[in-house]
Amino acid sequence: MAKQAQTFFLEEWLKANSGAISNTNSTNSTPQSARAIIQAWADLRESLQQKSFTQQHYQSLQTLLNSGIALYVADPQVKLILAILSSPDLSLPSESYPLFLRLLYIWVRKSSKPSPVFINSSINVLFQLFSSQSVTNKSSLFFTEFLLLLGAFSFIPSIPENTRTQCLDCFCKIMEEEYKLVSLFDDLVPSVLSGIGYALSSCGSIHFVRILDNLFQIWNKEGGPSSNVQHGLMILHLVEWVLYNCIQSHEKIIIFSREILESHKSQYASFSIVMGAAGALRASNRSISSGLMELRSSAEKRLEIIATEYVSINGNDSVLLQCISLALARSGDVFSREKHSLLLCLTSAILTEILPLKRFYTNIYMNSSNKGNHEVKEHLQSVIFKEAGVITSVFCKQYAQANEGSKNKVENLIWDFCQDVYMSHRQVALFLKGKDEELLQDLEKITESAFLMVVFFSLAVTKQKLVPNIPKEIQLDISVKILISFSCLEYFRRMRLSEYMDTIRGVAGSVQENEAACVSFVESIPSYGDLTKVHVSSNKMEFTWCKDEMQTSRILFYLRVIPTCAEYIPSSVFRKTVAPILFLYMGHPNGKVTRASHSTFVAFISSGKDYDDERVSLKEQLVYYYMQRSLEGYPGVTPFEGMASGVAALVRYLPAGSPCIFYSVHCLVEKASSLCSEFPKEPNSWNDLHDELEPCKKLLDLLLRLLSLVDIQVLPSLMKLLAQLVVELPEDGQNMVLNDLFAQVADSDDVTRKPTLVSWVQSLSYLSSQATIKGGGQRKHEKSSAIIWNKGRLFGLNRIFARM
């Protein structure tokens, strides 16, 4: 509205605000050179002089109109046009009349002070054309341009009142008698509505009522224009434009309120009333006029009435639902009353019209993907989808105003929607994988919007429900449902959102200190059997659990949340529900998932009290399989940092001297020995194979760190196994380990184990040096001699440990 002063053509403004794409000559413009335009006017003068209008002259006429709204028509050109139209010697083709009328329209709208003489002459010529049956019976486009020009003439401030009345009378007559012709094609509707807008803004009260009546009932008439969202948006902005121009006319505002908003007329299309009310709201938002402010209350009541009627009959009018959504999105804040029907309509619109995933999934299964591809692409370009963000914002505001009953109903619909999307999209993705990737990508653009909608709605829910005056049970129930819903749509989270993190913190903080809520959340995780079920796609490709990206994203969400509440998960629940999935996803090729699995293991191992025998027993049982599962995937699948944190946790939190700690140490040494034995033992081999030896070096480093972590009962066994491993290493490998050991023991402040470690390191250093000296002299000896020497070295180690 701020740019209305610079808007010459109302139809262009309406189309721009409705997302309409025009194929008419007026907007389908091609830049024309000044020479081409001058030549076109010259050709038209020639036709008048030669008293002949040929195809070449028609092409010149089109050349002018191909310039679109950039063309300027001055008084001399108007004189030429009128002379051509009124010449009895020229036989004009019927298709040329709408083009001449469009040129006159451009003149009227662009001229700051059109000549009264030319105005009167134009109107006279116009009525002569209208009375010509040979013209009026042939062209819908002629009627459309005729209406547009009549409206534009009536909108000229300086036009005499009797002439204005004559134009408006003719305008109303055509609308009432020839409405089928002016609404035959959707491309003509913007021009017809613009003519109506000009006429409404300039007429008196009698014509105002007649034209309003035609505007709102034409959509329900047989043969009238189609009811669609673009036409609805044009009505919205048309009413906004008209009422904004009627600020000084309090009488017109009262008439609009009485005829359109306060009375129920069955002949009026509901979608047009909704958009008319929204236009009134927009006009009131942009003006402090008392008349428009009074109109606001009537408009809000009418919107609520129509929404209530729709909800009461469980309507399925797609256009009406979309129009209600867009009306609310473009009208600013609308106060919702007791029944909160607007909220329910918005919910239905979001789930079925703005994010119609259920319909798309069904159609893809039942029809070919080609049809589904076209349908989805069309929706992505639609106005309703492009305004999904604004509609979601309005939806959240309406939710905040609603009563508890309406809030609960809407919440359940949204949570169920998340579950449906998770189940259905996985199946459709399997169906389309490798078959129609483009359609799958387009579908995911809609699901990403669905994710954003759920995030913002969930944040609105937390602000309403996670507050002190709401019972704790309700808060916990809401928190769990939000977490489950987020897990279902986690795959579609493609960006960092502060709203997402704020919601997660709020609901996770609510859940993590309540055992019942923790159990409820954990038990919602898909079962091991469901996760490992093998699916076969439409092109016979098998999809196992590790290839299902959407399922993996959901499990990753659980594995990130469970550590925050591990303390309150009962042992029986963890054993039955979490442990199988935890160990399964430790073998997943995605590093994020495996790291999250190790983090979940660490959280459980470090949870609980030492006197909880059942929990301690379960921890010890899990350790055996944890070490097996971790080491079989190392190096490669198992991330070293994840495994190291798991080993450190079990050493720190399990009872001292636990057999599973001995087992873990033995497994680590065995794995390190196996990895190191794969490489040659020549001098400097470790320096030459730095990258290849990295996994082995990391395990050695972990074993060295365990010297300061394991309890005193396990330490001798660790030292013995580690010494046996070190003396088997090549010289540069031994030096590396010994250097690390010297530094670690020197920095240690553990007065209990330091004396033992000092003695052990000295002995190990001596044995290693002896092995180096003897190894140098025996390098050319036979293999049997080397074996005897190694046995002697191990025997020496055993004597040292026995003495310690």
Side-chain angles (χ1 to χ4, degrees), residues 56-188:
Q56 179 186 347
H57 300 128
Y58 181 75
Q59 292 296 331
S60 298
L61 191 58
Q62 286 189 318
T63 298
L64 292 173
L65 288 169
N66 283 341
S67 297
I69 60 177
L71 180 68
Y72 185 83
V73 181
D75 287 354
Q77 284 86 39
V78 174
K79 184 177 181 180
L80 172 62
I81 294 169
L82 295 177
I84 293 174
L85 288 175
S86 59
S87 174
D89 300 321
L90 281 176
S91 178
L92 300 176
S94 59
E95 59 269 21
S96 69
Y97 285 99
L99 305 187
F100 280 115
L101 296 183
R102 175 61 67 163
L103 289 175
L104 290 175
Y105 172 69
I106 293 173
W107 164 65
V108 171
R109 294 303 297 147
K110 280 200 167 185
S111 179
S112 58
K113 290 183 178 180
S115 168
V117 175
F118 286 130
I119 291 174
N120 291 331
S121 299
S122 299
I123 292 174
N124 291 333
V125 170
L126 204 59
F127 285 131
Q128 289 174 11
L129 291 176
F130 180 64
S131 63
S132 172
Q133 294 298 316
S134 61
V135 173
T136 56
N137 284 336
K138 291 181 179 179
S139 175
S140 294
L141 184 57
F142 173 83
F143 273 106
T144 303
E145 296 296 333
F146 188 82
L147 277 176
L148 182 61
L149 192 52
L150 280 177
F153 277 134
S154 68
F155 193 62
I156 298 173
S158 60
I159 192 174
E161 280 303 317
N162 60 333
T163 306
R164 192 193 315 275
T165 301
Q166 188 181 11
C167 290
L168 292 170
D169 285 338
C170 185
F171 187 96
C172 293
K173 181 178 180 181
I174 295 175
M175 283 296 298
E176 291 163 358
E177 298 178 1
E178 306 293 346
Y179 69 90
K180 289 185 179 180
L181 284 174
V182 299
S183 58
L184 189 60
F185 304 104
D186 283 351
D187 284 346
L188 304 180

Side-chain angles (χ1 to χ4, degrees), residues 304 307 311 321 324 328 336-337 339-350 394-411 413 457:
E304 186 89 21
V311 171
L321 264 186
I324 290 175
L328 294 172
S336 185
R337 292 164 176 79
K339 296 182 180 180
H340 304 289
S341 303
L342 291 175
L343 172 63
L344 299 178
C345 283
L346 276 173
T347 308
S348 181
I350 287 173
V394 174
F395 173 55
C396 293
K397 290 179 181 178
Q398 289 289 330
Y399 169 84
Q401 297 176 10
N403 56 36
E404 284 304 311
S406 298
K407 285 180 180 177
N408 294 337
K409 187 175 182 179
V410 170
E411 289 163 13
L413 289 171
F457 174 72

Side-chain angles (χ1 to χ4, degrees), residues 389-520:
V390 182
I391 294 172
T392 297
S393 176
V394 174
F395 173 55
C396 293
K397 290 179 181 178
Q398 289 289 330
Y399 169 84
Q401 297 176 10
N403 56 36
E404 284 304 311
S406 298
K407 285 180 180 177
N408 294 337
K409 187 175 182 179
V410 170
E411 289 163 13
N412 291 331
L413 289 171
I414 298 297
W415 312 146
D416 291 344
F417 170 76
C418 295
Q419 299 272 6
D420 291 342
V421 170
Y422 173 74
M423 298 302 297
S424 300
H425 192 83
R426 284 182 62 215
Q427 296 173 0
V428 167
L430 181 65
F431 179 75
L432 295 176
K433 203 73 173 179
K435 179 181 178 182
D436 196 336
E437 296 288 343
E438 184 181 1
L439 175 56
L440 186 57
Q441 291 173 6
D442 287 341
L443 277 172
E444 290 188 358
K445 292 177 183 177
I446 302 175
T447 54
E448 287 173 23
S449 292
F451 169 78
L452 295 175
M453 179 275 293
V454 172
V455 167
F456 284 96
F457 174 72
S458 299
L459 181 60
V461 172
T462 60
K463 291 178 179 178
Q464 296 293 314
K465 295 294 181 74
L466 302 189
V467 290
N469 62 319
I470 299 295
K472 191 66 176 177
E473 294 77 12
I474 294 177
Q475 294 188 40
L476 294 173
D477 181 62
I478 286 292
S479 298
V480 171
K481 287 178 178 177
I482 290 177
L483 286 174
I484 294 173
S485 299
F486 276 15
S487 76
C488 291
L489 302 184
E490 177 69 9
Y491 175 70
F492 308 113
R493 182 168 67 94
R494 308 290 163 82
M495 64 182 75
R496 295 183 65 87
L497 284 174
S498 59
E499 292 82 0
Y500 174 84
M501 297 308 300
D502 291 344
T503 306
I504 286 289
R505 291 190 195 98
V507 296
S510 177
V511 167
Q512 65 187 15
E513 296 182 358
N514 183 276
E515 182 176 314
C518 290
V519 170
S520 178

Side-chain angles (χ1 to χ4, degrees), residues 235-443:
I235 295 171
L236 185 156
H237 292 287
L238 173 67
V239 171
E240 174 193 10
W241 189 84
V242 169
L243 293 180
Y244 193 77
N245 284 325
C246 295
I247 291 176
Q248 304 303 324
S249 177
H250 191 63
E251 182 183 5
K252 284 186 179 180
I253 294 174
I254 293 174
I255 291 173
F256 182 87
S257 180
R258 182 185 70 236
E259 297 294 325
I260 305 303
L261 302 178
E262 296 174 8
S263 60
H264 174 72
K265 296 182 180 180
S266 59
Q267 67 269 31
Y268 289 175
S270 295
F271 90 97
S272 67
I273 298 296
V274 165
M275 295 315 240
L281 290 171
R282 279 183 67 88
S284 68
N285 290 339
R286 299 177 182 275
S287 172
I288 58 174
S289 167
S290 59
L292 289 178
M293 295 307 293
E294 291 172 5
L295 192 67
R296 183 173 190 85
S297 178
S298 299
E300 289 180 345
K301 288 179 182 177
R302 178 50 57 185
L303 285 174
E304 186 89 21
I305 289 170
I306 293 176
T308 301
E309 291 174 352
Y310 183 88
V311 171
S312 64
I313 62 172
N314 293 319
N316 59 354
D317 188 334
S318 172
V319 173
L320 179 57
L321 264 186
Q322 293 183 57
C323 285
I324 290 175
S325 303
L326 290 168
L328 294 172
R330 298 199 179 189
S331 301
D333 295 335
V334 176
F335 178 72
S336 185
R337 292 164 176 79
E338 289 184 6
K339 296 182 180 180
H340 304 289
S341 303
L342 291 175
L343 172 63
L344 299 178
C345 283
L346 276 173
T347 308
S348 181
I350 287 173
L351 302 184
T352 61
E353 303 300 331
I354 303 169
L355 306 169
L357 291 166
K358 185 175 182 180
R359 184 172 76 242
F360 288 158
Y361 294 146
T362 303
N363 291 344
I364 289 171
Y365 274 125
M366 297 183 65
N367 305 304
S368 66
S369 61
N370 290 334
K371 182 179 179 181
N373 208 330
H374 173 74
E375 189 179 28
V376 173
K377 283 188 179 297
E378 192 176 66
H379 183 72
L380 289 173
Q381 297 302 317
S382 66
V383 177
I384 192 74
F385 180 72
K386 291 178 179 179
E387 299 212 12
V390 182
I391 294 172
T392 297
S393 176
V394 174
F395 173 55
C396 293
K397 290 179 181 178
Q398 289 289 330
Y399 169 84
Q401 297 176 10
N403 56 36
E404 284 304 311
S406 298
K407 285 180 180 177
N408 294 337
K409 187 175 182 179
V410 170
E411 289 163 13
N412 291 331
L413 289 171
I414 298 297
W415 312 146
D416 291 344
F417 170 76
C418 295
Q419 299 272 6
D420 291 342
V421 170
Y422 173 74
M423 298 302 297
S424 300
H425 192 83
R426 284 182 62 215
Q427 296 173 0
V428 167
L430 181 65
F431 179 75
L432 295 176
K433 203 73 173 179
K435 179 181 178 182
D436 196 336
E437 296 288 343
E438 184 181 1
L439 175 56
L440 186 57
Q441 291 173 6
D442 287 341
L443 277 172

